[in-house]
Amino acid sequence: MNRKLLIDKVGIEGIRFYDAYRKNGGYVAVEKAFKMSPADIVEEVKKSGLRGRGGAGFPTGMKWGFLAKPEGVPRYLVCNADESEPGTFKDRYLMEFLPHLLIEGLVISSYAIGSNRTYIYIRGEFKWIIDILEEAIAEAKNNGWLGKNILGSGFDCEIYVHTGAGAYICGEETALLESMEGKRGLPRIKPPFPAVKGLWGCPTVVNNVETLAAVVPIINLGGVEYAKIGIGKSTGTKLISACGNINKPGVYENGMDISVEEFIFSDEYCGGIPNGKRLKACIPGGSSVPILPANLLLKTAKGETRMMTYESLADGGFATGSMMGSGGFIVLDEDQCVVRHTYTLVRFYRHESCGQCSPCREGTGWMEKILHNIEYGKGKMSDIDLLWDVQSKIEGNTICPLGDAAAWPVAAAIRHFRDEFEWHVLNPEEAQERNFGLAHYADPIEVAVA
Ligand SMILES: Cc1cc2nc3c(=O)[nH]c(=O)nc-3n(C[C@H](O)[C@H](O)[C@H](O)COP(=O)(O)O)c2cc1C
Ligand code: SF4
């Protein structure tokens, strides 16, 4: 079974453009889909077991099934192309090299849920990709795959690219919808969920780029065949963007039925750790998911081989496991400082907090200050417990999951690397000296934490 269903065609000359894409089997899935009913397509997606590739891993067919269908009210499909999670760079790869694959997936998905106006929400920093998408949409329209009465089906569909101003929070689906409506990107309280009240108050499906692209091989193969790839509830193929201390950073597609060890060390994927260094830890699913030390990364706490599946990466819960998240796989070698790393992440979350909820707005600020002090040799032992306390008050107490995303990395860093935090407290001069050359990267904050 081919385990490269999405990016196998990258490298074919001209594949970014319509002619080459069509010559290489492009839009065949649309032809097949228009011979099916929308309900049958939803059923195929359910059978495929496809789970959302944006982070939460929610079953896509089930999400489509929840869509409210009141008479006379438009429904919308919004493709989430914000890709704001640090360490994640798979969607931009897909859009840059295979824009027609995404458009093909959007046409089929729009037909399945009845969206006549479909949007790609993308951050403004991706200017070059926005241009690529606009060109591909024009090509698709000129060749009859978009517009009125597509393939004589009676179904009309237009795709619009909507540019955001580049804020992490606008990747959260309800903040994204607010942004599309021309407002500040502030997450909405759920319920109501977008499937009931989404864009301009209408039923809306928000899906990730990779999720929607995966609909193409699902229709081509059939849901049942697609589900045969992978293990358990981790069906189909998954794009992983790998970075950090590895020999071959890049975007890889795999069937999820490979071990983490194979993914990191085999030449087919990351190619091992450079300069003969040892593996220290890994954040397997983008910056928001818990960091795992090497001993829990390659084997679970039960001693089983850790696989690249949703289930195996989460095995052990947050005590000894992590998450697939958005597939942003960040590898740390033995030279990396977990305290510094956690501080960098928390600075990001503090900066990106929209400020609506006190635990997130205040908590991220406090965590940043405490971590700054520990990292720069001004911390006390009690600060480690204080940090633990602050993160625990954020988790589960906010409108959107950004608060959790800020708390989880801190909790995991303390849980697995408490000795490094203590080292910084016990060795303030060395901690400061070691950071001397990096000091210009830090905010000049000097805060005494009582
Ligand atoms: C702070 C935050 C940022 C997010 N950023 C993204 C993003 O950049 N891209 C994405 O697809 N989903 C992102 N999500 C998840 C979306 O809210 C939503 O779950 C996803 O787009 C649904 O698509 P899926 O079911 O295909 O995964 C983010 C969530 C949060 C809380
Ligand atoms: S958790 Fe943070 S980002 Fe999310 S709504 Fe609350 S303040 Fe805003």
Side-chain angles (χ1 to χ4, degrees), residues 219-230:
I219 295 303
N220 276 329
L221 289 173
V224 172
E225 280 304 302
Y226 181 88
K228 286 183 185 162
I229 306 166

Side-chain angles (χ1 to χ4, degrees), residues 211-373:
T211 313
L212 293 164
V215 171
V216 175
I218 289 170
I219 295 303
N220 276 329
L221 289 173
V224 172
E225 280 304 302
Y226 181 88
K228 286 183 185 162
I229 306 166
I231 318 177
K233 289 187 179 158
S234 298
T235 59
T237 63
K238 177 81 193 80
L239 295 182
I240 303 285
S241 55
C243 63
N245 302 119
I246 46 173
N247 281 313
K248 291 168 56 191
V251 176
Y252 296 100
E253 185 173 9
N254 65 64
M256 292 188 264
D257 49 358
I258 59 167
S259 68
V260 172
E261 186 164 3
E262 182 184 352
F263 186 69
I264 296 178
F265 291 101
S266 85
D267 282 340
E268 196 183 342
Y269 300 106
C270 303
I273 318 285
N275 307 317
K277 300 272 181 196
R278 284 172 305 171
L279 172 68
K280 176 173 181 172
C282 175
I283 301 173
S287 64
S288 306
V289 310
I291 188 169
L292 276 183
N295 61 319
L296 287 173
L297 177 67
L298 305 184
K299 296 244 181 274
T300 66
K302 289 180 255 164
E304 288 164 1
T305 302
R306 182 89 70 185
M307 305 294 287
M308 295 289 287
T309 61
Y310 287 90
E311 294 79 16
S312 186
L313 288 170
D315 189 294
F318 282 0
T320 58
S322 184
M323 280 171 81
M324 170 76 83
S326 57
F329 197 88
I330 309 168
V331 178
L332 279 68
D333 74 14
E334 59 186 296
D335 289 346
Q336 306 308 317
C337 169
V338 169
V339 176
R340 169 144 213 107
H341 182 82
T342 311
Y343 171 52
T344 305
L345 291 184
V346 166
R347 287 180 68 209
F348 169 78
Y349 288 110
R350 193 268 303 152
H351 183 262
E352 298 295 329
S353 168
C354 83
Q356 279 191 109
C357 326
S358 308
C360 173
R361 183 187 62 242
E362 303 300 326
T364 51
W366 277 101
M367 291 198 300
E368 181 188 3
K369 288 166 189 166
I370 299 166
L371 275 161
H372 178 274
N373 284 353

Side-chain angles (χ1 to χ4, degrees), residues 19-213:
D19 288 344
Y21 184 76
R22 178 71 173 142
K23 264 190 216 126
N24 285 280
Y27 290 99
V28 168
V30 177
E31 291 172 317
K32 195 171 167 191
F34 276 91
K35 290 184 187 130
M36 299 161 69
S37 73
D40 286 345
I41 296 173
V42 176
E43 204 44 45
E44 284 307 309
V45 173
K46 281 186 183 163
K47 280 188 210 155
S48 76
L50 177 67
R51 295 168 65 167
R53 306 303 199 210
F58 192 82
T60 306
M62 197 188 289
K63 186 190 264 193
W64 291 7
F66 289 152
L67 195 70
K69 292 179 180 154
E71 274 297 305
V73 176
R75 298 190 281 277
Y76 295 108
L77 174 64
V78 178
C79 171
N80 189 344
D82 197 57
E83 192 159 69
S84 44
E85 180 82 357
T88 313
F89 47 92
K90 62 180 180 75
D91 294 340
R92 75 193 71 172
Y93 181 90
L94 214 150
M95 291 186 286
E96 179 170 353
F97 295 106
L98 292 165
H100 281 286
L101 178 70
L102 176 61
I103 294 169
E104 190 174 1
L106 289 177
V107 174
I108 299 168
S109 308
S110 302
Y111 173 63
I113 66 162
S115 165
N116 302 118
R117 293 168 75 86
T118 287
Y119 295 89
I120 303 174
Y121 181 91
I122 185 165
R123 54 182 44 239
E125 290 99 320
F126 289 168
K127 173 72 177 102
W128 82 102
I129 299 176
I130 294 167
D131 293 343
I132 288 170
L133 288 173
E134 296 279 17
E135 192 177 350
I137 289 168
E139 282 187 313
K141 190 160 179 176
N142 288 341
N143 286 281
W145 303 102
L146 286 171
K148 293 226 169 288
N149 192 21
I150 302 167
L151 298 185
S153 63
F155 179 68
D156 307 337
C157 184
E158 299 288 352
I159 298 178
Y160 301 95
V161 179
H162 187 107
T163 310
Y168 177 56
I169 195 57
C170 288
E172 192 283 330
E173 58 184 9
T174 60
L176 182 157
L177 297 175
E178 288 284 296
S179 168
M180 283 191 65
E181 291 177 7
K183 295 176 259 175
R184 275 183 67 190
L186 302 178
R188 300 173 181 170
I189 292 173
K190 295 190 262 188
F193 289 91
V196 175
K197 200 169 173 216
L199 189 60
W200 298 298
C202 302
T204 302
V205 166
V206 181
N207 272 135
N208 171 260
V209 169
E210 184 189 346
T211 313
L212 293 164

